[in-house]
Amino acid sequence: MKIIFFETEPWECEPCQILKNEHEFKMTDERPAEDNAGQYADADIISPFIYSDLSADVLAKFSNLKLIATRSAGIDHIDIGYCKKKGITVCNVPAYGDNTVAEHVFGLLLTISHRLVDAVDRTRKGDFSLKGLEGFDLCDKTLGVIGTGNIGRCVIKIAKGFSMNVVAYDVKPDEEFASHLDFHYVGMDELLNKSDVITLHVPATKATHHLLSTEQFEKMKDGVIIINTARGTLIDIQALLHAISEGKVAAAGLDVLPEEPTVREEAELLRSIYQKKHNMETLLANHVLLRLRNVFITPHSAFYTREAVQKILYTTLDNIGSFIEGNPKNVCT
Ligand code: NAI
């Protein structure tokens, strides 16, 4: 089999030796795109990370493709409809660091509640004054969790450790889990209306696109905190900016942004601006958000711990081995 791993880091080379021994194997830090996919056209198996844009146009360049083993939980970077049509199997890593992302949620939340960035900035300058640094307790605040899958559940467990009240919304509520952890499922409007902090843990789908937009922000408490570690497209970024400017949203902690791959690589934007349609208003809004003192943005690093990345790679190697043996695992198509 010809197997290509995209978007790799040097440490992944050694664990992948097992593929090198038995297959024609190549690792590259490149992302597959229309202009380079031709070089890999005869690959049987590819393993991308989330910044690979595997749209139908790019996938069409791979004439032999049998398996996409993405090294991620999310699959929104892959045109699943195209894969189904062409009989290409797609596997993911469904659960590798649920606690990892949940811990990051509280990293962002504590950054906001204890004003950690301002506090540390200040002491680095030798200033130990407290003026303007007053924070707030998480204890007894209401956390609204949208999506109670693997990550949402970990978030709820941690929230309980902080003695927060929890309300949750999910299209498939798990009442047994709710009674076990002593929280309530409520309708979306009630969650928006009751929560001091709202955190998102649903996948990016058509149904979740702009799940939080102007109408939803209007239903929230004044001074609500928004945390998003799921996907950037879940929030209408223009509506968020407006809600922040009005004081409806007091602060936001974001690990994900819409048009994120482009924000990551400004140079790419400059190169491709006339070739590919980017939503310039969204990009501009991202840049405004990046500069606000009450918005804390991390570079989609919620998953990025030593433990989680190892689990991602080893599960992917297992996904590939199982597919080759005829027993595919973690299949999404
Ligand atoms: P999961 O599949 O275990 O849970 C998703 C939950 O969302 C399910 O309970 C499902 O019923 C619910 N849901 C789906 N559509 C919904 C809708 N329209 N309204 C309400 N609920 C809905 O997923 P998991 O593992 O908890 O991950 C959640 C998301 O987090 C992933 O899809 C991925 O996009 C993101 N993620 C982000 C990472 C990061 O580094 N920032 C790392 C890993 C995942």
Side-chain angles (χ1 to χ4, degrees), residues 95-308:
Y96 56 84
D98 310 331
N99 63 297
T100 311
V101 178
E103 287 171 23
H104 197 87
V105 167
F106 282 87
L108 289 168
L109 186 49
L110 289 166
T111 297
I112 292 167
S113 67
H114 279 263
R115 297 189 180 271
L116 292 178
V117 170
D118 284 345
V120 173
D121 271 358
R122 200 171 283 194
T123 57
R124 285 212 168 116
K125 290 180 199 139
D127 178 354
F128 280 71
S129 67
L130 293 181
K131 196 163 178 268
L133 287 186
E134 186 185 84
F136 61 88
D137 288 348
L138 298 186
C139 178
D140 292 333
K141 294 290 184 307
T142 298
L143 177 70
V145 179
I146 302 181
T148 56
N150 295 315
I151 296 171
R153 283 162 195 252
C154 283
V155 167
I156 294 170
K157 284 184 198 158
I158 297 174
K160 287 289 169 181
F162 280 99
S163 298
M164 297 184 85
N165 306 312
V166 175
V167 290
Y169 171 73
D170 196 296
V171 281
K172 289 185 193 154
D174 180 347
E175 293 295 350
E176 205 179 311
F177 180 70
S179 82
H180 178 62
L181 272 198
D182 189 25
F183 73 91
H184 296 289
Y185 281 102
V186 293
M188 184 70 161
D189 282 0
E190 192 177 339
L191 182 145
L192 298 174
N193 182 255
K194 275 196 169 152
S195 303
D196 300 299
V197 179
I198 295 175
T199 183
L200 294 167
H201 302 290
V202 292
T205 62
K206 270 191 191 150
T208 60
H209 187 81
H210 288 184
L211 191 67
L212 300 186
S213 190
T214 306
E215 190 191 330
Q216 289 72 32
F217 284 118
E218 278 167 5
K219 290 176 182 163
M220 293 176 195
K221 274 188 179 178
D222 289 340
V224 65
I225 310 290
I226 303 291
I227 306 288
N228 187 11
T229 56
R231 283 294 181 267
T233 53
L234 304 185
I235 299 183
D236 175 349
I237 217 78
Q238 306 288 346
L240 173 64
L241 257 185
H242 183 71
I244 291 171
S245 70
E246 299 260 284
K248 171 60 87 176
V249 171
L254 310 172
D255 188 48
V256 286
L257 291 170
E259 293 271 0
E260 194 179 306
T262 311
V263 177
R264 283 170 74 89
E265 293 200 22
E266 300 266 355
E268 180 189 336
L269 168 65
L270 292 174
R271 276 200 309 273
S272 64
I273 197 160
Y274 297 111
Q275 293 161 17
K276 199 175 171 188
K277 259 184 129 183
H278 294 291
N279 184 333
M280 297 307 287
E281 281 187 0
T282 302
L283 287 170
L284 192 60
N286 283 343
H287 282 279
V288 176
L289 282 175
L290 279 160
R291 278 155 189 77
L292 291 179
R293 295 297 297 174
N294 55 345
V295 177
F296 301 89
I297 296 178
T298 48
H300 203 139
S301 56
F303 75 98
Y304 198 49
T305 62
R306 185 171 52 237
E307 294 81 0

